[in-house]
Amino acid sequence: MPEIQPSISRQELLCGETPGRPCGMVVFGASGDLTRRKLLASLFELQKRQLLAEEFYFVGCGRTELSDDEFRKIAAESISDKGIPPEKTSAFLDKFYFVSGSYDDPAFYETIGDRLARLDCLHATGGCHIFYLAVPPGLYGAIAEQLGKAKLSCRGMPECEERARLVIEKPFGRDLKSAIALNDQIQQYFEERQIYRIDHYLGKETVQNILMFRFANAIFEPIWNRNYVDHVQITIAESLGVEHRAGYYDKSGALRDMFQNHMLGMLSLVAMEPPASFDADAIRDEKVKLLKSVRPLEVKPYDRRIVTGQYAAGDVDGGPVCGYREEENIPAESMTETYAAARVFVDNWRWKGIPFYLRTGKRLAKRVTDIAIVFKTVPHSMFAGIGLDDMPANVLVLKIQPNEGINLSFQAKRPGSKTCMSTLTLNFNYADVFGTDAPEAYERLLLDCMVGDQTLFTRQDDVQVAWALIQPVLDNFAAGTLIPFEYPAGAESFPQADALIEGDGRKWRPLSQS
Ligand code: BG6
């Protein structure tokens, strides 16, 4: 009888990537920061990994007057630190073009349409267009509308609809009402299946791993529920401050910037029910179902489930840094929150009564994103002299970034006396095991968009239910009934944030432990 053995080569086969289909990528806001820092570098990586179709071109669109050559120079500069020899980049850069114009001018879109028609012929792309909005959010609706009016969205034209896609950066709206209005505007011109709403956290390798870890192993799912889990902590801590994004950030704050999207996205992946298949809609249905089970985040004085903060001057990485209100272009009286923490309950069969503690903040002691599943402690100690306090709960930590990996802590016998016990950690580190850094999230997302896979993109109902969840908190903020507490830059936490979890007899995991 031939022996059947799992072989690495079989697993290697599963790692095959589908290369991007022929297309023209049209980026609005092409001379901006996102294009330079993320999109161009990711495209070059895809090109290096031979995942970009030969039949590909890139059209930058923007208000700045730039010739194709000037734009190619900018593109070349933005990847100059990637160590790619110029001879390798120049052939690729020859596929880069630029069209200047004003976003509200119909003539701009006619020019773009003419240019695309010519480039489609030249590069034999078959007329597939990805329109990427890397512009300030206030322009999303207007650009989508102009694309539609110029017939570039192909809506209602079966022969080309599948080939036109719209990629939209976050934030999608700034509250529930504006998200619905924006969607209504966009959906007059693009079908939902053409719309790719980006939440770049979903493109991170370690965030994608949440589903594989949960549903490709038999041992975790049976204990992934209220019977075994005491609570869950999700942390997105940043040591950076607002940097050069004052204009955007001061109108957003941590709730809109991180909570409504990245944080709730991770919560839904970690808590959702198993989908029947690894199919875009099957997964997105479960995510939405989960968010719909989250108890509304009401701000009640007697049951504080939300705490916000704003950083004051302090020390980060050994150096002094200014407070949020002293940052360039931030109003001196700004009440914008740079920190938000919440105690969230998922009212369904699996999670009833189990708190999920979520926190995110800028200018904290350390940059770390992780998800800690804290299990219940043992019910009884049979070891003489060892109390329940000596046997801390098992904690499974999904280390999203940096130092991507997974840790599981447990108790074990230490060499020595019969009752000598230690808490140990099983540690898996991506870089050690796979010998490579996790690829940039945008590589995954751009490739998926070229392939037409919407799994890692946020569907409209998901966006809406996430806004609906935090809307009561935003309303409290607007009414001045929720005021951010001050915390010193570089802090691990602060007393009011601690009180949120300590009131339940639990503690935040120290950032340094991640
Ligand atoms: C962005 C936010 O979506 O995510 C930023 O707008 C934040 O404020 C950033 O700094 C964090 O992303 P990452 O990938 O560095 O964790």
Side-chain angles (χ1 to χ4, degrees):
M1 275 259 286
E3 216 180 314
I4 300 172
Q5 279 185 346
S7 81
I8 195 72
S9 57
R10 159 94 185 108
Q11 293 202 339
E12 288 296 329
L13 279 180
L14 302 176
C15 298
E17 279 279 18
T18 310
R21 295 198 194 132
C23 68
M25 178 165 277
V26 185
V27 176
F28 291 86
S31 46
D33 205 39
L34 176 75
T35 311
R36 287 185 216 210
R37 280 193 310 119
K38 299 287 186 185
L39 304 186
L40 293 175
S42 298
L43 284 173
F44 275 94
E45 271 312 313
L46 291 175
Q47 156 82 356
K48 239 170 58 186
R49 291 168 55 204
Q50 299 184 328
L51 290 171
L52 219 51
E54 198 39 51
E55 303 82 5
F56 170 85
Y57 65 85
F58 184 104
V59 177
C61 299
R63 295 189 187 111
T64 324
E65 284 284 340
L66 286 178
S67 67
D68 293 343
D69 278 341
E70 284 166 331
F71 181 56
R72 286 171 190 160
K73 259 193 211 134
I74 295 177
E77 272 160 28
S78 62
I79 51 148
S80 57
D81 60 339
K82 301 276 169 237
I84 313 169
E87 63 278 10
K88 290 228 160 135
T89 54
S90 62
F92 186 50
L93 286 170
D94 282 349
K95 298 178 175 184
F96 280 57
Y97 306 88
F98 198 84
V99 181
S100 332
S102 165
Y103 295 126
D104 56 1
D105 179 5
F108 182 34
Y109 298 85
E110 266 175 44
T111 314
I112 293 173
D114 290 346
R115 196 85 196 262
L116 297 189
R118 277 184 283 129
L119 291 172
D120 286 340
C121 268
L122 183 65
H123 294 282
T125 54
C128 178
H129 300 141
I130 295 176
F131 299 103
Y132 196 120
L133 309 189
V135 290
L139 292 168
Y140 295 163
I143 296 179
E145 187 168 331
Q146 293 289 353
L147 286 170
K149 287 184 171 158
K151 304 260 179 288
L152 289 167
S153 68
C154 291
R155 186 163 190 254
M157 300 159 71
E159 68 290 357
C160 81
E161 190 180 276
E162 203 266 325
R163 286 180 270 133
R165 294 174 195 153
L166 182 70
V167 185
I168 308 179
E169 271 295 327
K170 65 159 262 275
F172 194 91
R174 51 173 287 106
D175 53 18
L176 179 58
K177 203 168 144 212
S178 58
I180 294 175
L182 177 59
N183 195 57
D184 288 350
Q185 186 180 13
I186 292 175
Q187 288 201 341
Q188 284 181 46
Y189 304 98
F190 288 87
E191 296 286 348
E192 181 64 33
R193 61 179 171 275
Q194 297 178 280
I195 305 174
Y196 291 68
R197 295 179 194 80
I198 291 222
D199 172 344
H200 79 278
Y201 264 62
L202 302 182
K204 288 184 192 280
E205 197 63 41
T206 41
V207 173
Q208 293 173 63
N209 182 48
I210 298 173
L211 289 189
M212 206 159 274
F213 181 78
R214 285 189 59 194
F215 302 129
N217 294 296
I219 61 172
F220 298 109
E221 204 43 29
I223 56 171
W224 209 265
N225 58 49
R226 63 190 302 278
N227 298 326
Y228 297 94
V229 173
D230 176 78
H231 72 280
V232 177
Q233 295 189 22
I234 307 184
T235 302
I236 311 181
E238 297 184 89
S239 54
L240 290 176
V242 65
E243 299 196 282
H244 53 277
R245 297 163 74 222
Y248 153 76
Y249 194 86
D250 199 56
K251 290 194 194 71
S252 263
L255 286 161
R256 290 185 170 92
D257 186 48
M258 302 296 282
F259 230 83
Q260 184 271 345
N261 34 68
H262 309 326
M263 189 58 104
L264 293 181
M266 288 204 290
L267 170 69
S268 49
L269 291 175
V270 103
M272 73 189 211
E273 293 302 312
S277 67
F278 196 56
D279 167 82
D281 274 331
I283 291 171
R284 298 189 303 172
D285 286 347
E286 291 302 338
K287 285 175 67 194
V288 172
K289 204 169 93 192
L290 187 280
L291 289 185
K292 284 185 174 162
S293 324
V294 174
R295 201 179 298 170
L297 278 172
E298 282 156 21
V299 183
K300 296 178 182 158
Y302 51 88
D303 177 20
R304 213 166 246 298
R305 291 205 277 125
I306 285 271
V307 169
T308 58
Q310 186 187 74
Y311 65 82
D315 283 298
V316 173
D317 294 333
V321 295
C322 69
Y324 179 72
R325 292 176 182 191
E326 289 94 57
E327 298 274 16
E328 208 181 327
N329 297 327
I330 297 290
E333 68 292 350
S334 171
M335 294 299 275
T336 299
E337 79 288 358
T338 59
Y339 178 101
R343 181 160 47 114
V344 165
F345 288 97
V346 178
D347 288 334
N348 66 11
W349 194 278
R350 184 187 286 261
W351 295 116
K352 186 76 185 179
I354 303 302
F356 287 74
Y357 299 98
L358 319 179
R359 60 177 165 165
T360 180
K362 289 202 182 283
R363 281 284 189 235
L364 292 172
K366 194 179 162 192
R367 173 177 183 249
V368 56
T369 298
D370 66 17
I371 301 171
I373 318 292
V374 182
F375 291 93
K376 292 191 194 288
T377 48
V378 293
H380 163 72
S381 172
M382 61 178 238
F383 307 103
I386 299 184
L388 288 179
D389 286 352
D390 301 317
M391 292 184 277
N394 301 115
V395 184
L396 177 73
V397 185
L398 305 177
K399 294 165 46 169
I400 305 296
Q401 68 182 22
N403 309 325
E404 291 82 357
I406 298 176
N407 284 357
L408 175 64
S409 72
F410 58 93
Q411 330 304 328
K413 163 105 180 60
R414 245 167 80 176
S417 76
K418 265 188 169 171
T419 52
C420 191
M421 186 184 284
S422 253
T423 302
L424 308 177
T425 306
L426 278 176
N427 194 350
F428 148 65
N429 193 296
Y430 273 72
D432 294 345
V433 174
F434 299 119
T436 161
D437 286 338
E440 164 61 49
Y442 277 92
E443 280 173 47
R444 169 86 277 143
L445 297 173
L446 289 176
L447 183 59
D448 281 4
C449 184
M450 290 176 200
V451 169
D453 180 350
Q454 290 185 306
T455 311
L456 302 177
F457 296 86
T458 318
R459 213 169 54 187
Q460 171 59 14
D461 49 353
D462 194 342
V463 174
Q464 252 166 252
V465 71
W467 276 121
L469 261 177
I470 68 157
Q471 190 61 52
V473 187
L474 299 177
D475 292 344
N476 274 272
F477 239 104
T481 43
L482 189 63
I483 291 174
F485 297 101
E486 205 178 270
Y487 62 95
E492 268 274 336
S493 185
F494 52 98
Q496 296 83 358
D498 290 342
L500 178 97
I501 188 166
E502 288 175 6
D504 295 345
R506 301 183 175 98
K507 273 190 179 306
W508 290 118
R509 295 179 61 253
L511 298 180
S512 52
Q513 210 168 304
S514 293

